[in-house]
Amino acid sequence: MITQQEQSFIKKYIVREKQERYLAFLSHAQNRRKFIEALYHFTDFKWELMQEIKGPDETHAIVDKLKSYEHIINCSVISTDTNYDGKLLPVREAIQKVVGIEGSILIFGAAEVIYYEGEAPKRRYISV
């Protein structure tokens, strides 16, 4: 079942022509995998809302971005790693455990901030 955070993420950060398709994928367990498999080389973001993280320390970039959002305490995870996909984790735990896993999206709060990690190299982005 798709979460409210995932719905907000799709509506805010995914190009309009793909939104309904991805909402449908995430709404059904058997189709969720179709969306997740695309995460390694995902191209359907509204890229004007994303900024590439340059350098080796993506954790620092995420923590810096979240300083303006002190009310955010949880993070929804979409990931190729089945140990974390679909989980709602405390912010610190999500950053510690999921950052570094290729094919992952962290949705902080109600999609106020997102982090995306595709397949290396240079595939790490944070929302602006």
Side-chain angles (χ1 to χ4, degrees), residues 44-99:
D44 294 325
F45 285 115
K46 294 178 183 173
W47 290 106
E48 68 275 11
L49 299 177
M50 304 297 287
Q51 175 182 344
E52 185 178 4
I53 298 173
K54 300 195 187 280
D57 194 6
E58 61 275 356
T59 301
H60 183 69
I62 297 168
V63 170
D64 279 353
K65 179 73 174 182
L66 289 174
K67 285 180 183 175
S68 301
Y69 299 90
E70 293 178 4
H71 66 282
I72 296 176
I73 58 171
N74 291 319
C75 175
S76 183
V77 179
I78 301 174
S79 180
T80 56
D81 187 325
T82 57
N83 292 313
Y84 300 108
D85 182 54
K87 303 275 196 254
L88 184 64
L89 300 173
V91 167
R92 182 172 296 216
E93 183 179 352
I95 292 170
Q96 290 173 344
K97 293 185 176 179
V98 181
V99 170

